[in-house]
Amino acid sequence: MLADPLRAQLVEILAGGPACTAYLVAETGAKQPNVSGHLKQLREAGVVGAEPRGRYTFYRLVPEMLQGAAAHLGDLAEQARANADNFRS
């Protein structure tokens, strides 16, 4: 999910707190439809939540999802270390 540079940038920006699409567009310099498309993908993956406030929708990171992904990646790294010499054919 974070392999795309713009999505990774959006996640980094949102780590600083909730933001609306206009703010994210201004910070990234990307076009609004592009930012909205990436936010949709992040929402569908559960990484970002949306909260309507007045005429704006604010997006925020879901810390539990990030922690779960980080733990899973840590487990995979540990498994890879443990099996580094276990060649299979």
Side-chain angles (χ1 to χ4, degrees), residues 10-25:
L10 292 170
V11 168
E12 285 184 34
I13 293 168
L14 291 174
C20 66
T21 304
Y23 179 86
L24 295 169
V25 166

Side-chain angles (χ1 to χ4, degrees), residues 1-80:
M1 198 84 258
L2 299 179
D4 182 277
L6 180 55
R7 272 197 301 272
Q9 186 180 11
L10 292 170
V11 168
E12 285 184 34
I13 293 168
L14 291 174
C20 66
T21 304
Y23 179 86
L24 295 169
V25 166
E27 285 293 302
T28 62
K31 302 254 185 239
Q32 186 273 329
N34 200 9
V35 169
S36 292
H38 286 296
L39 287 170
K40 180 181 179 196
Q41 290 179 328
L42 290 166
R43 276 193 335 267
E44 289 173 352
V47 175
V48 168
E51 181 181 328
R53 286 185 162 232
R55 65 183 206 146
Y56 295 103
T57 298
F58 284 83
Y59 298 90
R60 70 172 64 236
L61 291 181
V62 178
E64 298 79 14
M65 178 61 85
L66 293 175
Q67 284 179 324
H72 180 68
L73 289 173
D75 291 344
L76 289 174
E78 216 172 286
Q79 186 179 355

